[in-house]
Amino acid sequence: MAERVWRAIASLRSRLSPVWISQILNRCDGSHRRHECVVNVLCLGIQNALWNAGLMLAVGAMDVLIAAYALKSDATVIHLDRDFERVASVIPQFSQRWLIPPERHPR
């Protein structure tokens, strides 16, 4: 698993109960199931970080899930959505880029 994912999970441990995270990960048996559990932990950590920053309702559930999969896969999200900037503001390990600069976007 990518080093960045483990750093993200480690940083989330201070925000979520380490016992709770361990219980989730220990229930996973097999690589596919473990992958789902890691993504679940990342989603919960992202949501918690957004909540603590007062941004919980500013990012949609699907954007949180996309961000979690990107963190897990060590990928950069290329987007046209300010929600991913909000995620990056609370999760430094999250990598995102605009498809086109926001000031040039027609919205």
Side-chain angles (χ1 to χ4, degrees), residues 34 42 47 70 75-76 89 94:
R34 185 150 181 93
L42 289 171
Q47 288 175 330
T76 298
S89 74
F94 177 65

Side-chain angles (χ1 to χ4, degrees), residues 8-79:
I9 289 175
S11 72
L12 297 174
R13 285 185 190 273
S14 64
R15 297 180 182 143
L16 299 173
S17 164
V19 173
W20 186 64
I21 291 173
S22 295
Q23 287 174 348
I24 291 172
L25 292 176
N26 287 338
R27 277 190 236 148
C28 301
D29 54 353
S31 62
H32 179 69
R33 179 98 173 135
R34 185 150 181 93
H35 171 79
E36 289 176 10
C37 288
V38 169
V39 170
N40 288 343
V41 168
L42 289 171
C43 282
L44 292 170
I46 292 167
Q47 288 175 330
N48 192 50
L50 289 165
W51 180 269
N52 290 337
L55 297 171
M56 184 59 189
L57 299 178
V59 178
M62 290 308 297
D63 291 339
V64 170
L65 186 60
I66 291 167
Y69 271 100
L71 274 171
K72 167 76 173 73
S73 303
D74 201 21
T76 298
V77 174
I78 300 173
H79 60 87

